[in-house]
Amino acid sequence: MFDIKFIRENPDAFDAGLARRGVPPRAGEILLLDKEARKYTEALNDLQARRNASSKLIGAAKAKGDDDEFNRLRAEVDDIKKQVPTAEAEKAKNLDAIRDILSGLPNIPADDVPQGEDEEANEEIRRWGTPKGLNNPKEHFDLGEELGQMDFEAAARMSGSRFVLLKGQLARLERALASFMLDTHTGEFGYTECQPPLLVRDEPLYGTGQLPKFSEDLFKTTNDHWLIPTAEVSLTNIVREDILSEEELPLRFTAWTPCFRSEAGAAGRDTRGMIRLHQFSKVEMVSITTPEKSDAEHERMTECAETILQKLDLPYRTMVLSTGDMGFSARKTYDIEVWLPGQGQYREISSCSNCGDFQARRMNTRSRPKAEKATRFVHTLNGSGLAVGRTLVAVLENYQQPDGSIAVPAALQPYMGGLEKIEKA
């Protein structure tokens, strides 16, 4: 969501920002509606002033016994009362129209975000680690199925396509990865672990930007709840409609949750394996901070996600996304892509986004500087720390052995009861 005052004062800059996201100009249309809404606001103020003045005069006329003036003033007040609902309805109609337009517009990108239509314009900013020279590496689904611990057919019989059943040590490995990530983010990086709701109402999804535009990407229950597509939704809305003391910022939350996505636009993409499922687990990071510190917090959050991969000794590269590849709510996004030898390419394993005050305006979340009365909107950030299923994929492919077994990364062995190798049962 956007500041209407900014649009009034900077219509050309607003449209220029939208143009960078491939969106046609909207400032003119918004400002016409805003002008109408303000006209009715002024009319309502005038009506209220006239009503208050006439009400005072009614008492004076009655005290004087001036029945004609008394009746005239009562008729005038009655007429004003009849005009108010119409003016209120017109004002609300214009404000609702503005809200409908603004709620469907993506965030304005930061100045240093590369311009481009899609991922082809993304820019690599660093790499870590060297891909291992494996002979004829297999993809994760072949490895998992040969181990007898990854079953897509059984999952399909229960739930259809894009589901998986993990068993035995692979199921434990996914749990180990999540525990390792949570322990790192809470113990080393100061995030507060949460166990948030998986079912939410419309308002939280509106706050983080999934609604109203992306409802087709979500799963909805029969009682009007939604399954979360990411814990970003629940964690960010912890501060919904709050006024926070800036002394307590930044707030940092993390959670390991199942996530649910319809993958409506993914027909034909990654149909085999665990890369793109309807249900998957993810460790999410969310930060709430001040405008002055959000850029530094963005770099910090990305470093937290990268540290997980470094501790697992998984090669990766970090990309800054172009204007055409960023998510709806983001003003700047870093994608971390892990090397998958079975695919012979880097694949996204984390997105870390700075949303500025875009989500805070939708949630009405503000902060108050110390010793000041005025409030301002906070900045929100979110990032995968990491997508657990995709990290499992990366471990399988990078730690595969010639005999089909999987070496357990040293960082995970304490979480696996000291197990050093996953083998076929």
Side-chain angles (χ1 to χ4, degrees), residues 43-211:
L44 284 166
N45 290 339
D46 179 64
L47 288 171
Q48 185 62 46
R50 288 169 51 199
R51 179 179 175 180
N52 290 341
S54 296
S55 296
K56 290 180 181 179
L57 293 173
I58 284 175
K62 186 174 183 180
K64 291 180 181 179
D66 189 343
D67 292 340
D68 290 341
E69 181 65 4
F70 175 81
N71 291 329
R72 185 189 70 78
L73 290 169
R74 281 191 59 183
E76 184 176 328
V77 170
D78 289 342
D79 181 60
I80 291 172
K81 288 181 179 179
K82 292 176 183 178
Q83 295 180 54
V84 167
T86 300
E88 288 177 338
E90 289 298 319
K91 176 184 175 181
K93 182 179 74 173
N94 285 283
L95 291 177
D96 287 346
I98 293 171
R99 177 185 169 90
D100 288 345
I101 294 172
L102 294 181
S103 65
L105 296 178
N107 201 352
I108 300 297
D111 292 340
D112 60 347
V113 172
Q115 187 67 34
E117 295 183 1
D118 51 33
E119 68 271 11
E120 294 299 320
N122 296 346
E123 296 180 1
E124 181 178 323
I125 57 176
R126 57 182 168 267
R127 289 193 184 202
W128 186 92
T130 302
K132 300 173 183 177
L134 301 177
N135 292 322
N136 301 314
K138 295 180 179 180
E139 294 198 53
H140 68 281
F141 43 80
D142 289 328
L143 293 163
E145 288 175 335
E146 288 171 10
L147 287 169
Q149 299 176 40
M150 184 181 292
D151 195 333
F152 295 97
E153 291 185 5
R157 289 195 297 271
M158 289 184 274
S159 306
S161 62
R162 297 192 186 274
F163 290 90
V164 67
L165 169 66
L166 297 178
K167 298 180 288 186
Q169 296 301 338
L170 287 193
R172 183 173 184 177
L173 182 60
E174 173 152 321
R175 174 163 53 93
L177 281 164
S179 296
F180 163 67
M181 293 176 193
L182 287 174
D183 287 350
T184 302
H185 291 315
T186 57
E188 293 189 24
F189 302 133
Y191 285 84
T192 299
E193 183 176 351
C194 301
Q195 189 61 257
L198 306 181
L199 291 166
V200 295
R201 297 180 298 188
D202 291 4
E203 294 84 0
L205 285 159
Y206 177 84
T208 47
Q210 283 82 11
L211 289 181

Side-chain angles (χ1 to χ4, degrees), residues 118 121 140 241 245 270-271 293 319 348 355 366 382 416:
D118 51 33
H140 68 281
E241 297 180 354
S245 166
D270 300 306
T271 53
K293 295 182 179 179
M319 315 287 290
E348 177 200 338
C355 298
R366 293 166 288 160
N382 63 82
M416 296 289 290

Side-chain angles (χ1 to χ4, degrees), residues 285-352:
M285 303 175 292
V286 161
S287 295
I288 313 297
T289 190
T290 60
E292 294 82 8
K293 295 182 179 179
S294 67
D295 287 341
E297 186 70 16
H298 192 199
E299 300 298 326
R300 181 188 189 276
M301 176 179 283
T302 306
E303 183 179 346
C304 292
E306 290 178 351
T307 299
I308 299 296
L309 292 173
Q310 292 173 15
K311 287 176 178 289
L312 294 172
D313 196 22
L314 294 172
Y316 67 87
R317 66 180 185 180
T318 303
M319 315 287 290
V320 58
L321 299 193
S322 72
T323 55
D325 199 32
M326 284 197 308
F328 180 81
S329 297
R331 70 186 301 267
K332 185 176 182 179
T333 297
Y334 293 123
D335 264 13
I336 304 171
E337 299 178 350
V338 68
W339 174 252
L340 298 182
Q343 294 191 14
Q345 62 179 320
Y346 289 94
R347 295 299 303 268
E348 177 200 338
I349 198 168
S350 172
S351 281
C352 296

